[in-house]
């Protein structure tokens, strides 16, 4: 599998570290909603088809990427920096 | 079968003789021979014994599809089992032996298994050994009893135990176009691709290019087909943009157009050049792949089809044309399609005598009957082979009337004398790599075969692997697939009879009365009746069928058996073959040696991390051990001491005067940015935004699930800059953890992280005289209590080397960490030792460091084991209630606040014996198994400060157990020790010494 890092270019998957499901939503940091926390920490989607995942370019620029990948064919339809795509709607994290 | 070398022909070099042995007997052949062709030329027909029934088996195919003729190659003590004799090139000194026979190939005791036939039918293992133990003969225990006998009786070659002395290479390659296969399609496609200027890699699994052309009777561009192929290949290989690999089997197709291949570099040579690798593992990343992998001929299943002398028709042709070997004096062919006639033409040209052609079809084309007449072979139409007669090899076949539409066998059996039967059941495109690449193969009714799936990556199939079965259309397809260029390349002219590529849909001949087994999978001894039995027992899906019968699951992955197996399954279910399904092929296409995959990457490949003071440690008699990748001093052992004596001496010196220890291995992360303090407030459980510049604080991190992750001190160097230290083992994990949160959770925080572990050398100096030592050598700053209070930071120099000093203590003594640039580590270390001479300063290792922290009850990775909470470790005082932090959401969930959890306590040995690390805490006064454990020892030592053997332990109801007695039991090492449970603060619980 080759991931096209927006910074480094196309690189073999061996350079990357899988960092999990990028679709889960972290609850409000101050929340004590155990169901929401449980879902965030333990539940992982594994759809047959398109999925968004975090990949760390650990052997390259060390940026976390959001990779949209088809779980059945491994075809990657988009790659972007996680910083660019997760930035909004997180200001509420500030305590 | 009495095979012999034909007087002329073949691409062997008859001017040279090659000598080799098979089962201890000497044989000879010629360069260019495979083991199979050379043995056939020497009259050998028996190559091995079959997997379950130990039936005699001969060579069946002529290439990578061979199911029977597997041999073991011996080289000194090294055994390479299951090598296909049909691909093994002979060379002087080659030593081979047959497999799965005892005591010898000719006289095999286990052939008695044939009499016990039903015992070994489909599902034998499942029925006999699995499931509940009802009666004495149905259980796993029974299996364990029988296993060693069955393992000897059933199996393939024996693996050796000697280490592989060869070495292997691994190479990455990149190209625009990869062409797999060099038959007519591959050669033309490669030429078309090369014409466009693309970088082309061509891979051919055989020693020479040409594929089907090598055994063809066709005339191409006025030349013999093999000569044409040789010239074309040479021209391609000479192009600067083409890399032509022979003896290279492409075995895997992975995502992103990554293919893997094995190139045989020297394992076919008698004398290897010193240092030459045996095989080279290619990882090829290609823009486009052209799969010109050809097609495999498939057999027709009929009773007695496995005796030596029955071969694929194409194999007979290849032995005759390519190797100049007649596999029989009196060859017959059995076919359901036209290709056998073209094979017959080529065989006859090569000098093979063909007695008869048995065809299941009632009518054949004029081209076919002309060939039969021309070569003097009797044409037996509308017949099928219903039995064979053989001693060690085939002597005759039985044929009967056969209705190709109903499959009905009738009439009086007729016997035809023959010593070699070539069978053709049609051709299956070699879609293995295409199937690996993904997608579902498509059934083609005309060819009665699966065609490759729709490409899901940039690949195409060309030639017969795409379903084009005659050379003219193969050339045309190859040229089209090789290049999209509009310029029409001139295609080679082909002089050959035209044939119909469609076979009659006949896969099995099943007479009403069967006296012989009809094999589908030769390598795993699966018969047609096994498949029917599996169906009757409810295994209807092809995947279940495969697993129950093991059809197609041997080393050949069912190259010859898949389609006949599916056809029989479809027949019993009354459905079509595509409805019965196909199986997806997986890597490897042919077996791959582990050595080739490992390449040069064997042995200990881990980097060794050494601190700047490492050489000093070694020069001063440090005994080191590995902590992760780091090498760290365990003790400075001289004086003929034991390890315990050494660490006790070192630890005592720290408590009594002063010692120094190398702490350069601690993880160090530079954290900068306007939001750095805010970031740390979220990462640590305690508050860091309130930390003044020039002070350090002990911090605790949780994982998101509420479990303790890491601890360490973090120093505030400015409003916007912190230096975080982590435990040695967790440095990388903490870095990645924080990077994740900055990138994925809080990208709005303006913080930058840099790993600076290797930038700083660190020395901890501890003991009542630590300050005095610093005062003696540090310039540019005072280090008194007012200037450098507990957790304070100052900058100064030692000699002319700038240092940063933080007053913090892991040992519980008055202690400092002195950091300097890594290149100055040894100088600062030696300067501290020099300044400490007056106080008998003592370097100490990890054992003493551990002893000091156990006495103090400070936790490390042994207690932060991925299961403990802050509460378990009595660190709840570090959990801020004023802010959320990573882990705060889940730290209080039910399982983590349960009162039955283990928590940290100290243990004191009551019998003055050492406590073993890992011991379980039990209440039984005598060792007992099993015992109810209510905790375990995490770390243990002799405490010079207490004069006792002590330990830290995680114990259920820990705090309320304090004052109780228990036993630390280690059944493995036979130790059972009475202990008293005490507070984990075993020494100086008030902390007065470090604040002094
Ligand atoms: Zn990158």
């Amino acid at each position: 599998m080759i991931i096209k890092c927006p910074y480094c270019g196309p690189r073999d998957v061996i350079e990357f570290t899988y960092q999990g499901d990028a679709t889960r939503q972290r609850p409000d940091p101050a929340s004590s909603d155990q169901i929401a926390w449980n879902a965030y920490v333990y539940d992982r989607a594994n759809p047959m088809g398109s999925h968004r995942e975090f990949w760390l370019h650990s052997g390259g620029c060390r940026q976390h990427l959001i990779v949209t990948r088809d779980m059945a064919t491994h075809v990657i339809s988009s790659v972007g920096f996680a910083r660019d795509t997760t930035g909004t709607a997180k200001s509420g994290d500030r305590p | 079968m009495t095979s012999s070398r034909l007087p002329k022909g073949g691409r062997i070099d008859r001017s040279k003789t090659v000598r080799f042995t098979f089962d201890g007997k000497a044989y000879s052949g010629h360069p260019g021979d495979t083991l199979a062709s050379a043995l056939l030329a020497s009259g050998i027909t028996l190559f091995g014994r079959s997997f379950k029934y130990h039936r005699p088996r001969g060579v069946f195919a002529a290439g990578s599809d061979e199911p029977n003729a597997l041999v073991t190659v011996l080289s000194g003590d090294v055994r390479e089992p299951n090598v296909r004799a049909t691909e093994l090139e002979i060379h002087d000194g080659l030593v081979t032996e047959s497999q799965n026979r005892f005591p010898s190939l000719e006289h095999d005791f286990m052939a008695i298994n044939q009499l016990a036939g039903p015992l070994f039918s489909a599902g034998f293992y499942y029925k006999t050994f699995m499931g509940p133990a009802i009666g004495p003969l149905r259980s796993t225990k029974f299996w364990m009893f029988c296993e060693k006998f069955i393992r000897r009786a059933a199996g393939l070659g024996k693996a050796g135990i000697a280490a592989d002395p060869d070495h292997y290479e691994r190479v990455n390659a990149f190209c625009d176009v990869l062409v797999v296969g060099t038959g007519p399609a591959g050669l033309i496609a490669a030429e078309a691709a090369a014409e466009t200027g693309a970088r082309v890699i061509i891979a051919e699994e055989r020693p020479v290019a040409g594929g089907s052309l090598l055994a063809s009777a066709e005339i191409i561009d006025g030349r013999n087909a093999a000569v044409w192929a040789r010239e074309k290949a040479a021209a391609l290989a000479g192009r600067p943009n083409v890399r032509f690999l022979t003896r290279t089997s492409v075995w895997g197709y992975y995502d992103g157009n990554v293919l893997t291949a094995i190139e045989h570099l020297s394992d076919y040579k008698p004398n290897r050049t010193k240092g030459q690798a045996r095989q080279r593992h290619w990882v090829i990343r290609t823009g486009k792949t052209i799969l010109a992998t050809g097609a495999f001929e498939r057999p027709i299943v009929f009773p007695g089809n496995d005796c030596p002398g029955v071969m694929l028709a194409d194999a007979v042709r290849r032995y005759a044309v390519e190797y100049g070997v007649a596999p029989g004096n009196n060859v017959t062919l059995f076919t359901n399609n036209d290709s056998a006639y073209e094979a017959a033409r080529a065989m006859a040209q090569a000098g093979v005598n063909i007695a008869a052609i048995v065809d299941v079809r009632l009518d054949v084309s004029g081209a076919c009957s002309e060939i039969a007449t021309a070569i003097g072979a009797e044409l037996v139409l509308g017949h099928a082979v219903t039995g064979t007669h053989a001693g060690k090899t085939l002597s005759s076949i039985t044929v009967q009337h056969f209705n190709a539409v109903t499959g009905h066998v009738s009439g009086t059996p007729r016997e035809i004398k023959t010593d070699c039967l070539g069978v053709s059941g049609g051709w299956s495109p070699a879609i293995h790599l295409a199937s690996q690449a993904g997608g579902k193969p498509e059934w083609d009714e005309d060819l009665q075969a699966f065609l490759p799936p729709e490409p899901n990556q940039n690949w195409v199939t060309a030639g017969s692997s795409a379903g084009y079965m005659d050379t003219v259309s193969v050339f045309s397809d190859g040229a089209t697939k090789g290049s999209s260029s509009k310029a029409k390349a001139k295609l080679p002219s082909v002089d050959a009879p035209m044939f119909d590529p469609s076979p009659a849909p006949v896969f099995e001949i099943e007479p009403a009365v069967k006296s012989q087994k009809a094999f589908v999978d030769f390598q795993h001894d699966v018969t047609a009746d096994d498949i029917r039995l599996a169906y009757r027992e409810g295994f209807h899906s092809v995947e279940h069928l495969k697993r129950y019968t093991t059809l197609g699951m041997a080393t050949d992955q069912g190259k010859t058996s898949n389609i006949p197996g599916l056809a029989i399954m479809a027949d019993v279910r009354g459905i079509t073959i595509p409805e019965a399904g196909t199986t997806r092929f997986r890597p490897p296409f042919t077996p791959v040696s582990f050595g080739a995959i490992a390449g040069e990457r064997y042995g200990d490949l881990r980097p060794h991390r050494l601190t700047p003071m490492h050489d000093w440690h070694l020069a001063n008699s440090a005994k080191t051990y590995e902590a992760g990748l780091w090498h760290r001093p365990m003790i400075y052992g001289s004086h003929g001491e034991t390890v315990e004596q050494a660490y006790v001496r070192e630890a005592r010196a720290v408590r009594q005067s002063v010692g120094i220890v190398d702490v350069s291995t601690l993880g160090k992360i530079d954290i900068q940015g306007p939001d750095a303090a805010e970031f740390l407030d979220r990462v640590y459980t305690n508050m860091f935004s309130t930390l003044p510049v020039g002070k350090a604080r002990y911090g605790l991190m949780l994982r998101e699930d509420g479990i303790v992750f890491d601890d360490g001190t973090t120093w505030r160097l400015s409003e916007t800059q912190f230096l975080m230290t982590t435990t040695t083992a967790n440095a990388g994990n903490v870095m990645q953890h924080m990077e994740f949160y900055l990138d994925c959770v809080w990208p709005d925080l303006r913080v930058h992280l840099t790993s600076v572990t290797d930038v700083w050398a660190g020395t901890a100096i501890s003991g009542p005289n630590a300050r005095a030592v610093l005062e003696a050598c540090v310039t540019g700053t005072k280090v008194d209590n007012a200037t450098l209070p507990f957790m304070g930071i100052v900058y100064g120099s030692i000699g002319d080397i700038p240092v940063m000093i933080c007053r913090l203590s892991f040992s519980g003594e008055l202690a400092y960490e002195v950091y300097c640039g890594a290149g100055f580590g040894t100088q600062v270390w030696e300067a501290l030792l020099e300044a400490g001479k007056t106080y008998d300063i003592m370097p100490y290792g990890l054992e003493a460091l551990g002893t000091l922290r156990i006495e103090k009850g400070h936790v490390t990775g042994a207690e932060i084991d991925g299961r403990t909470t802050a509460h378990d470790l009595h660190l709840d005082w570090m959990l801020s209630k004023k802010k959320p932090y990573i882990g705060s959401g889940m730290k209080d969930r039910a399982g983590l606040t349960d009162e039955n959890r283990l928590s940290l306590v100290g243990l004191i040995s009551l019998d003055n014996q050492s406590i073993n690390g890992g011991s379980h805490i039990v209440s039984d006064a005598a060792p007992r198994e099993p015992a109810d454990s209510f905790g375990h020892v995490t770390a243990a030592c002799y405490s010079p400060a207490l004069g006792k053997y002590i330990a830290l332990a995680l114990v259920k109801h820990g705090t309320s157990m304090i004052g109780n007695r228990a036993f630390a039991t280690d059944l493995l090492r036979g130790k059972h020790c009475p202990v008293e449970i005490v507070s984990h603060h075993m020494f100086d619980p008030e902390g007065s010494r470090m604040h002094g």
Side-chain angles (χ1 to χ4, degrees):
Chain A
M1 202 162 86
I2 289 170
I3 297 175
K4 285 197 179 100
C5 173
Y7 188 77
C8 308
R11 297 298 182 90
D12 193 85
V13 69
I14 202 166
E15 292 186 6
F16 297 84
T17 307
Y18 185 66
Q19 293 281 74
D21 183 355
T23 62
R24 62 209 161 99
Q25 282 292 314
R26 192 169 189 260
D28 183 283
S31 162
S32 58
D33 178 350
Q34 287 305 302
I35 290 167
W37 278 111
N38 212 67
Y40 174 68
V41 172
Y42 295 114
D43 294 353
R44 297 288 184 276
N46 185 20
M48 173 104 170
S50 184
H51 192 38
R52 277 156 55 87
E53 304 166 322
F54 289 121
W55 287 82
L56 169 63
H57 196 184
S58 44
C61 60
R62 288 202 74 88
Q63 300 300 301
H64 281 84
L65 311 176
I66 289 191
V67 174
T68 307
R69 184 169 70 105
D70 189 299
M71 306 289 270
T73 64
H74 299 185
V75 172
I76 292 170
S77 53
S78 77
V79 183
F81 289 123
R83 277 176 171 270
D84 296 342
T85 31
T86 54
T88 53
K90 285 283 188 269
S91 50
D93 284 354
R94 272 176 191 276
Chain B
M1 180 161 74
T2 40
S3 49
S4 60
R5 189 74 76 178
L6 293 161
K8 62 183 174 58
R11 51 180 178 81
I12 49 170
D13 179 359
R14 291 173 189 252
S15 67
K16 295 196 180 88
T17 301
V18 172
R19 293 177 202 288
F20 64 95
T21 69
F22 176 63
D23 278 345
K25 279 171 80 176
Y27 295 92
S28 67
H30 299 294
D33 264 325
T34 62
L35 181 68
S37 70
L39 286 176
L40 283 174
S42 308
I44 297 297
T45 55
L46 179 58
F47 277 71
R49 291 274 170 175
S50 74
F51 185 68
K52 281 193 293 195
Y53 304 116
H54 287 244
R55 291 167 70 96
R57 290 279 167 82
V59 65
F60 188 70
S64 57
D65 49 343
E66 175 59 39
N68 282 341
L70 306 185
V71 298
T72 298
V73 176
L74 305 170
S75 164
D77 292 341
V78 180
R79 309 173 58 88
E80 189 185 11
N82 306 337
V83 178
R84 291 166 301 285
T86 52
E87 290 189 299
L88 178 62
E89 295 175 63
I90 57 165
H91 54 76
D92 274 322
L94 175 70
V95 181
T96 59
E97 65 175 37
S98 59
Q99 299 185 162
N100 202 31
R101 81 285 190 270
F102 180 81
S104 74
L105 187 54
E106 305 254 325
H107 307 280
D108 185 294
F109 287 162
M110 299 292 176
I112 194 123
N113 283 359
Q114 292 181 59
L115 304 177
L119 183 66
F120 284 96
S121 59
F124 161 67
Y125 290 87
Y126 296 102
K127 289 171 195 162
T128 312
F129 299 114
M130 304 294 162
I134 307 162
L137 296 185
R138 271 179 79 94
S139 71
T140 322
K141 278 224 165 103
F142 181 51
W143 162 247
M144 287 158 76
F145 172 75
C146 295
E147 184 180 6
K148 58 175 178 275
F149 301 106
I150 290 173
R151 290 276 185 230
R152 171 178 260 179
L156 297 170
K158 257 196 326 211
I161 50 169
D164 186 347
D166 279 307
H167 72 271
Y168 300 83
E169 292 177 357
R170 184 185 150 97
V171 63
N172 286 295
F174 303 86
C175 61
D176 299 314
V177 180
L178 170 67
V179 181
V180 185
T182 63
L187 287 175
I188 285 294
E191 184 181 46
E195 283 291 336
T196 66
R199 295 170 305 157
V200 179
I201 295 178
I202 304 169
E204 167 57 50
E205 70 174 349
R206 306 185 64 199
V208 290
S212 63
L213 298 177
L214 293 174
S216 172
E218 294 169 335
I219 303 296
I220 296 169
D221 281 347
R223 287 194 289 292
N224 170 293
V227 172
W228 181 89
R230 187 169 67 223
E231 289 173 3
K232 186 62 81 180
L236 272 171
R239 286 173 180 261
N241 57 332
V242 171
R243 179 180 242 158
F244 207 122
L245 303 171
T246 54
R247 298 186 174 92
T248 303
S249 171
V250 176
W251 61 265
Y253 201 140
Y254 298 92
D255 302 319
N257 258 3
V258 176
L259 291 94
T260 48
I262 292 290
E263 181 184 10
H264 294 266
L265 294 174
S266 65
D267 42 6
Y268 58 91
K269 292 181 180 171
N271 300 305
R272 295 181 205 168
T273 321
K274 191 167 190 297
Q276 188 174 23
R278 178 170 176 249
Q279 295 171 359
R280 181 182 286 147
H281 183 215
W282 289 81
V283 177
I284 303 168
R285 289 167 173 82
T286 174
K288 172 183 174 182
T289 312
I290 298 173
L291 299 170
T293 44
F296 285 117
E297 192 168 28
R298 58 189 187 228
I300 299 172
V301 178
F302 58 87
N305 63 341
D306 72 323
C307 71
V310 177
M311 305 168 78
L312 290 169
D314 185 55
V316 179
R317 154 157 82 170
R318 280 171 63 177
Y319 287 115
V321 179
E322 287 194 48
Y323 303 100
V325 175
N329 289 332
N330 202 21
V331 173
T332 46
L333 298 176
F334 175 35
T335 186
N336 66 357
N337 70 96
D338 285 4
S339 74
Y341 294 84
E342 176 62 5
R345 188 168 78 97
M347 287 174 215
Q349 269 185 22
V352 172
N353 173 41
I354 298 160
I357 302 176
V358 181
D359 198 318
V360 297
R361 301 171 296 181
L362 267 178
D363 290 309
V364 293
S365 70
C368 291
S369 48
E370 276 165 32
I371 286 175
T373 310
I375 65 175
E378 183 194 352
L379 197 49
V380 188
L381 296 177
H383 276 68
V385 179
T386 56
T388 58
H389 308 275
K392 288 209 168 72
T393 189
L394 186 67
S395 55
S396 68
I397 55 172
T398 305
V399 300
Q400 280 178 273
H401 277 291
F402 180 75
N403 184 326
V405 178
T406 62
H408 188 63
V409 175
S410 61
T412 322
R414 173 190 160 195
E415 205 169 320
I416 299 176
K417 292 257 178 265
T418 181
D419 57 356
C420 175
L421 175 65
V423 183
S424 180
W427 292 77
S428 296
I431 58 171
H432 304 70
L433 290 173
S435 167
Q436 284 182 29
K440 203 170 173 280
E442 289 159 19
W443 180 253
D444 185 279
E445 199 58 36
D446 283 342
L447 290 178
Q448 291 286 303
F450 284 104
L451 294 183
E454 278 300 305
N456 55 351
Q457 303 188 48
N458 195 3
W459 55 264
V460 291
T461 51
S464 56
S465 58
Y468 297 94
M469 291 300 173
D470 66 280
T471 309
V472 174
S473 45
V474 163
F475 276 140
S476 156
D477 185 53
T480 312
K481 301 285 176 56
S483 160
S484 51
S485 164
K486 294 280 181 294
K488 274 273 175 281
K490 190 179 160 292
L491 293 177
S493 70
V494 180
D495 182 7
M498 280 304 288
F499 294 105
D500 177 3
S502 308
V506 172
F507 297 90
E508 187 198 1
I509 311 301
E510 196 192 2
V513 183
K514 276 173 288 187
S515 54
Q516 289 173 292
K517 286 181 193 295
F519 284 88
V520 180
D521 183 331
F522 293 106
Q523 205 174 102
H524 264 170
D525 266 358
V526 179
T527 66
D529 283 343
D530 284 333
I531 297 171
R532 282 184 272 269
L533 176 66
Y535 172 76
R536 287 198 302 276
E537 295 186 345
F539 296 89
H540 295 187
S541 125
V542 62
E543 295 297 334
H544 293 162
L545 170 83
K546 273 184 70 170
R547 279 153 187 81
Y548 193 57
T549 60
T550 73
L551 172 76
M553 294 176 77
T555 66
D556 66 345
Q557 284 203 41
K559 289 187 180 71
T560 54
S561 63
N562 269 323
I563 299 296
L566 269 179
I568 294 167
M569 193 66 186
D571 182 54
V572 290
R573 292 179 61 189
I575 56 177
T576 64
I577 291 173
E579 282 169 343
T582 181
T583 53
R584 180 157 175 189
F585 292 100
R586 294 188 173 81
F589 172 66
T590 47
V592 178
S593 60
F594 285 122
I597 291 175
E600 306 88 347
R601 300 164 302 173
Y602 57 89
D604 188 356
L605 296 176
R606 293 173 304 166
H608 297 276
R609 296 186 80 179
L610 309 177
T611 75
M613 293 82 103
H614 185 74
D615 289 345
W616 188 96
H617 301 320
L618 293 188
N620 289 273
S621 65
K623 289 198 174 65
T624 62
Y625 54 29
E626 289 174 43
L629 300 176
W630 288 102
H631 291 245
R632 302 186 69 180
M634 169 175 71
I635 51 164
Y636 295 85
S638 48
H639 329 297
E641 296 167 313
T642 64
V643 171
E644 184 177 298
Q645 285 166 340
Y647 79 70
V648 166
R649 167 177 54 77
E650 292 170 10
R652 185 174 281 135
V654 173
R655 297 263 186 250
Q656 287 177 355
S657 178
V658 63
I660 62 171
V661 60
D662 183 351
V663 294
S664 305
T665 62
L666 288 178
K668 294 174 277 290
I669 299 169
D670 182 78
I671 301 170
Q672 293 195 46
D675 297 322
E678 165 69 25
F679 175 63
L680 288 176
D681 278 350
R682 300 184 191 185
V683 167
Y684 278 127
T685 62
N686 46 340
M687 201 72 95
F688 274 77
S689 50
T690 54
L691 181 66
V693 173
K695 291 283 275 184
R697 185 166 283 170
Y698 176 58
L700 184 72
M701 289 182 203
L702 305 186
R703 306 190 308 214
E704 198 76 87
D705 63 0
I707 298 289
V708 176
F709 175 42
D710 199 56
D711 67 346
T713 57
T714 287
W715 316 4
R716 189 164 206 170
L717 304 181
S718 80
E719 277 300 317
T720 57
Q721 183 181 11
F722 292 81
L723 178 67
M724 171 184 284
T725 66
T726 74
T727 56
T728 299
N730 251 346
N733 297 337
V734 170
M735 183 75 183
Q736 190 166 313
H737 174 80
M738 295 200 297
E739 284 175 328
F740 177 81
Y741 281 90
L742 277 181
D743 271 352
C744 304
V745 183
W746 308 310
D748 51 327
L749 291 187
R750 293 158 300 166
V751 179
H752 197 86
L753 307 175
T754 311
S755 170
V756 292
T757 301
D758 295 321
V759 173
W760 297 98
T763 300
I765 176 163
S766 327
N769 289 316
R771 184 184 289 133
V773 174
L774 290 184
E775 279 169 343
C777 65
V778 174
T779 56
T781 178
K782 286 185 183 174
V783 292
D784 61 300
N785 197 39
T787 315
L788 185 50
F790 188 60
M791 288 294 185
I793 300 165
V794 295
Y795 300 88
S797 298
I798 292 180
D800 52 1
I801 300 156
V803 294
M804 179 163 65
I805 304 171
C806 182
R807 181 174 160 191
L808 41 84
S809 177
F810 191 53
S811 58
E813 296 300 317
L814 172 66
Y816 304 85
E817 283 180 12
V818 180
Y819 279 15
C820 65
F824 301 110
T826 306
Q827 265 175 275
V828 168
W829 175 267
E830 286 179 334
L832 288 166
L833 282 169
E834 184 62 31
K837 261 189 178 162
T838 342
Y839 304 99
D840 294 327
I841 191 167
M842 180 84 70
Y844 62 101
L846 276 190
E847 287 294 322
L849 185 84
T851 299
L852 296 166
R853 75 99 186 171
I854 294 169
E855 290 175 338
K856 285 294 295 175
H858 287 162
V859 295
T860 64
E863 294 79 29
I864 301 177
D865 63 357
R867 293 176 292 182
T868 45
T869 65
H871 183 75
D872 298 340
L873 302 177
H874 312 297
L875 295 172
D876 14 13
W877 59 274
M878 298 184 70
L879 304 177
S880 169
K881 291 189 173 56
K882 295 181 185 141
K883 52 142 194 159
Y885 46 87
I886 295 170
S888 59
M890 294 196 84
K891 70 172 172 41
D892 294 326
R893 62 204 163 110
L896 300 190
T897 50
D898 191 298
E899 57 170 20
N900 287 318
R901 290 183 63 82
L902 308 183
S903 63
L904 184 67
V905 296
L907 300 179
I908 290 175
S909 167
L910 295 177
D911 64 355
N912 217 22
Q913 299 283 313
S914 64
I915 303 167
N916 278 352
S919 293
H920 277 273
I921 312 301
V922 297
S923 53
D924 303 288
R928 191 166 71 84
E929 191 181 8
D932 289 328
S933 165
F934 54 92
H936 60 270
V937 173
T938 58
C941 66
Y942 179 78
S943 163
L946 301 173
K948 288 168 181 163
Y949 283 99
I950 62 169
L952 289 174
L954 290 164
V955 170
K956 197 189 263 190
H957 309 296
T959 310
S960 56
M961 292 289 284
I962 287 172
N964 289 350
R965 293 191 170 192
F967 295 85
T969 191
D970 178 356
L971 295 170
L972 282 178
R973 283 167 291 189
K975 195 133 200 188
H976 195 77
C977 174
V979 293
E980 182 181 347
I981 298 173
V982 298
S983 158
H984 62 292
H985 294 301
M986 286 176 274
F987 178 71
D988 186 28
E990 301 79 27
S992 55
R993 298 173 69 92
M994 65 180 180
H995 292 285

